[in-house]
């Protein structure tokens, strides 16, 4: 089987500079969902019909072993299929719309099964739509056989009330149907060649055609407008969250949580409202993710607590650690087991050993920090000299007093202490105390003396 994905339309209804198929649902472009669905049936070839202006996409497709053909002018869906026909090798052809990303793999498989079982020349995947839309309508005769598809712009008042809609997903027997594409006439209203017109032509020639209303409206939504894009995002969001609930994840307010399709979550994890889990984030079992947290491409092991309004990207948080509230973990950060990273602590490109605590108001950048270290409030690694980044090394069991600046490159060897308020510029040897405060000077009766002068 070959798959043809029609994606050369201009998507003018989106009112966007970006081609429609590159708009994203969560962090994945619309076209990638369709390609994924196509791949699920293991076809010989996948062709995407593109408008020549979408050169941005060709490299992305080639990398994924997807072929593409250009439709030089967007003259309609029949014309788009015609552009691909000379390249197709198989006799069975699945046609997908590039703007219908939520189709389920099982639905596609069932649909193709029915096509095979009933030895059809053409199968049409349909659905019943309850909302106002711009889909083509399936017209049937009194015996229920399909007669033709009428586009909404060409339909009579009576036809407008038909609820069965065309999804734009078809399977064709190429030998029996492909030639008929050439017989499609230009639609007088739009000046386009409609693939849907092939149905009437084929029915009149006695070809075997069926439309199967196999799927729900939500999985066949076609994205033509921003409002349909937002509906598609909502449908997918609900699908993903229901899936995780089935697998044992608790959501206190599913309607406010956003989880990308590639994210995974372990059982008995609890997710509070307004949480965003993006990219390749993996969350372990029995974690608690409090409200307003955003995690992108993070790995979170089991029993981790991430408190309110924490933001983390490309970070790895190991078993049993507690993060936040209001923590910021940036790229290449690894937080060990049973750590505590508290409020207003920013960690960048740093490794933090097991049991280490940085509970308040710190910046730890380019640091390698050992086990059971205590980082006092307000500690700053001064990692940047205006030109280069430098490393701070803090070994196991070190105690850094509050409001310390560590001027990198610098190393604090194990079991050492740094007194609060110090500016550390030199290596601190094992087990020693370093302190760099100026001795305190106290001027007695200073206020009284000043008043006397005034
Ligand atoms: C199309 C169907 C409609 C169906 C709906 C399902 C036609 C005439 N109508 O309508 O019956 O209910 O899909 O979502 O087929 N494309 C090209 N080249 C073109 C024009 C379009 O490749 O010249 C591609 C588009 O990029 C898109 C797909 O074909 O992915 C469908 O085109 P679109 O303009 O969105 O058609 P609809 O009006 O949604
Ligand atoms: Ca469409």
């Amino acid at each position: 089987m070959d798959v043809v994905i029609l994606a050369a339309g201009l998507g003018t209804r989106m009112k966007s500079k970006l081609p429609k198929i590159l708009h994203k649902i969560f962090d994945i472009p619309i076209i990638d969902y369709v390609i994924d669905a196509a791949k699920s049936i293991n076809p010989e070839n996948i062709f995407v019909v593109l408008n020549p202006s979408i050169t941005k996409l060709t490299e992305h497709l080639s990398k994924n072993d997807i072929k593409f053909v250009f439709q030089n002018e967007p003259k309609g869906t029949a014309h788009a299929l015609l552009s691909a026909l000379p390249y197709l090798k198989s006799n069975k052809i699945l046609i997908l719309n590039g703007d219908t990303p939520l189709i389920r793999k099982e639905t596609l498989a069932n649909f193709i099964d029915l096509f095979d079982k009933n030895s059809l020349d053409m199968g049409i995947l349909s659905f019943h739509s309850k909302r106002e839309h711009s889909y083509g309508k399936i017209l049937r005769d009194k015996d229920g056989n399909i007669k033709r598809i009428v586009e909404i712009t060409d339909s009579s008042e009576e036809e407008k009330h038909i609820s069965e809609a065309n999804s734009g997903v078809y399977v064709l027997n190429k030998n029996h149907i492909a030639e008929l594409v050439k017989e499609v006439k230009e639609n007088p209203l739009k000046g386009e060649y409609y693939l849907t017109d092939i149905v009437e032509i084929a029915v009149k020639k006695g070809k075997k055609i069926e439309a199967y209303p196999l799927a729900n409206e939500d999985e066949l939504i076609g994205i033509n407008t921003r409002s349909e894009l937002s509906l598609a995002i909502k449908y997918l969001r609900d699908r993903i969250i229901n899936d995780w609930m089935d697998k044992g994840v608790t959501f206190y307010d599913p309607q406010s949580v956003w989880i990308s399709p590639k994210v995974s979550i372990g059982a008995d994890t609890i997710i509070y409202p307004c949480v965003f889990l993006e990219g390749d984030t993996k969350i372990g079992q029995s974690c608690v993710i409090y409200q307003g947290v955003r995690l992108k491409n993070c790995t979170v092991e089991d029993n981790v607590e991430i408190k309110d309004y924490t933001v983390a990207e490309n970070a790895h948080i190991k078993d049993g650690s507690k993060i936040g509230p209001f923590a910021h973990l940036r790229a290449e950060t690894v937080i060990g087991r049973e750590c505590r990273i508290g409020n207003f602590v920013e960690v960048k490109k740093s490794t933090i050993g097991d049991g280490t605590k940085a509970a308040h108001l710190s910046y730890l950048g380019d640091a390698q920090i050992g086990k059971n270290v205590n980082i006092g409030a307000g500690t700053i690694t001064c990692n940047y000299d205006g030109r280069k980044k430098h490393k701070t090394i803090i070994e196991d069991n070190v105690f850094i007093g509050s409001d310390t600046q560590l001027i990198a490159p610098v190393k604090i060897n194990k079991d050492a202490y740094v007194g609060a308020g110090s500016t550390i510029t030199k290596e601190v040897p094992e087990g020693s105390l370093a302190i760099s405060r100026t001795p305190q000077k106290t001027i007695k009766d200073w206020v009284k003396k000043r008043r006397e002068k005034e």
Side-chain angles (χ1 to χ4, degrees):
M1 176 138 99
D2 285 344
V3 179
V4 180
I5 300 174
L6 307 181
L10 292 179
T12 47
R13 286 170 279 180
M14 290 293 280
K15 314 250 164 57
S16 175
K17 282 187 194 132
L18 190 69
K20 178 163 79 174
I21 51 174
L22 293 182
H23 280 259
K24 289 179 177 170
I25 297 181
F26 296 110
D27 30 30
I28 301 169
I30 289 172
I31 188 72
D32 283 9
Y33 289 91
V34 185
I35 290 173
D36 243 31
K39 280 185 174 166
S40 75
I41 55 160
N42 298 318
E44 297 285 315
N45 301 290
I46 300 174
F47 295 90
V48 181
V49 184
L50 290 178
N51 186 285
S53 67
I54 316 186
T55 46
K56 234 175 144 184
L57 197 64
T58 51
E59 203 182 312
H60 175 66
L61 294 177
S62 305
K63 252 192 260 160
N64 285 289
D65 211 16
I66 309 289
K67 302 177 173 67
F68 51 89
V69 297
F70 289 120
Q71 180 192 13
N72 288 326
E73 273 178 281
K75 290 205 281 193
T77 42
H79 185 260
L81 177 61
L82 211 53
S83 320
L85 271 185
Y87 305 96
L88 304 182
K89 307 208 169 54
S90 312
N91 186 37
K92 197 159 93 182
I93 302 165
L94 171 69
I95 298 173
L96 298 173
N97 264 358
D99 65 356
T100 305
L102 301 193
I103 184 161
R104 281 193 168 86
K105 292 162 185 169
E106 310 84 73
T107 304
L108 214 47
N110 289 343
F111 172 55
I112 295 165
D113 270 358
L114 278 172
F115 172 89
D116 291 337
K117 239 182 247 150
N118 297 328
S119 314
L120 300 184
D121 293 319
M122 178 172 186
I124 297 154
L125 181 59
S126 67
F127 61 105
H128 288 277
S129 177
K130 287 182 203 82
R131 68 180 182 92
E132 206 178 301
H133 59 73
S134 58
Y135 302 120
K137 303 284 192 179
I138 307 283
L139 303 195
R140 294 181 184 268
D141 65 18
K142 53 183 184 319
D143 300 322
N145 299 315
I146 184 163
K147 279 195 305 190
R148 62 189 177 98
I149 297 176
V150 61
E151 289 305 303
I152 201 93
T153 38
D154 299 319
S155 59
S156 66
E157 266 318 302
E158 204 180 314
E159 288 161 349
K160 280 199 174 88
H161 295 295
I162 296 172
S163 78
E164 190 178 3
N166 170 29
S167 69
V169 177
Y170 319 94
V171 193
L172 305 180
N173 177 319
K174 192 172 78 173
N175 292 342
H176 293 180
I177 297 288
E179 281 304 303
L180 307 182
V181 185
K182 295 173 188 153
E183 293 182 30
V184 169
K185 300 212 167 56
E186 193 179 36
N187 179 283
L189 215 64
K190 285 274 190 74
E192 287 185 5
Y193 296 84
Y194 288 173
L195 185 53
T196 43
D197 286 349
I198 209 175
V199 174
E200 189 175 16
I201 299 169
V203 166
K204 281 187 178 151
K205 297 210 173 186
K207 304 285 181 194
K208 206 169 168 200
I209 303 188
E210 296 271 9
Y212 299 117
L214 282 184
N216 291 332
E217 165 157 36
D218 63 351
E219 66 175 295
L220 292 176
I221 183 165
I223 300 174
N224 303 299
T225 59
R226 302 275 180 165
S227 137
E228 283 167 328
L229 176 62
S230 90
L231 257 183
I233 293 171
K234 181 185 155 346
Y235 290 154
L236 187 60
R237 191 270 306 275
D238 291 349
R239 191 194 289 180
I240 289 170
I241 291 193
N242 285 333
D243 214 39
W244 288 119
M245 289 201 281
D246 285 347
K247 289 177 178 151
V249 178
T250 293
F251 293 88
Y252 288 158
D253 179 20
Q255 297 303 309
S256 71
V257 172
W258 300 88
I259 300 177
S260 299
K262 288 185 191 149
V263 169
S264 67
I265 312 172
D268 289 325
T269 282
I270 297 174
I271 301 200
Y272 276 64
C274 302
V275 166
F276 286 72
L277 305 177
E278 301 172 0
D280 276 326
T281 294
K282 292 178 191 66
I283 297 188
Q285 297 185 5
S286 305
C287 293
V288 186
I289 313 289
Y290 286 89
Q291 106 160 11
V293 168
R294 188 164 77 84
L295 306 177
K296 186 173 183 183
N297 301 326
C298 288
T299 301
V300 176
E301 297 187 0
D302 299 341
N303 303 305
V304 168
E305 244 180 62
I306 304 186
K307 295 202 178 132
D308 317 49
Y309 304 105
T310 290
V311 175
E313 244 179 83
N314 297 302
H316 183 153
I317 304 164
K318 296 191 181 165
D319 254 53
S321 283
K322 291 185 168 47
I323 313 292
F326 303 102
H328 188 189
L329 308 184
R330 294 167 54 201
E332 294 177 55
T333 287
V334 179
I335 310 285
R337 292 160 175 258
E338 308 286 341
C339 288
R340 169 92 186 87
I341 302 293
N343 44 201
F344 307 108
V345 174
E346 176 179 344
V347 187
K348 187 217 86 175
K349 215 174 175 181
S350 295
T351 309
I352 314 276
D354 296 349
T356 286
K357 295 185 179 69
H360 341 260
L361 301 156
S362 279
Y363 172 61
L364 305 172
D366 304 289
Q368 187 188 313
I369 302 177
K371 290 181 193 155
N372 301 314
V373 170
N374 190 81
I375 305 279
T379 297
I380 308 288
T381 53
C382 305
N383 59 332
Y384 188 48
D385 62 9
R387 285 168 190 269
K388 277 193 192 155
K389 299 280 166 68
H390 300 281
K391 213 166 166 171
T392 300
I393 299 175
I394 302 174
E395 292 193 334
D396 295 352
N397 308 316
V398 162
F399 179 94
I400 307 280
S402 295
D403 196 23
T404 292
Q405 300 100 54
L406 299 156
I407 314 293
V410 70
K411 185 174 179 195
I412 319 292
N413 287 279
K414 64 179 180 187
D415 303 324
Y417 275 67
V418 172
S422 294
T423 302
I424 300 297
T425 54
K426 295 189 211 109
E427 181 165 349
V428 179
E430 180 179 334
S432 51
L433 167 69
I435 189 158
S436 77
R437 286 174 223 149
T438 47
Q440 183 171 330
K441 195 170 153 190
T442 307
I443 303 167
K444 272 201 155 182
D445 295 330
W446 182 78
V447 175
K448 204 173 130 205
K449 284 177 196 154
R450 192 179 62 174
R451 279 201 195 122
E452 282 165 6
K453 264 193 203 160
E454 277 165 3

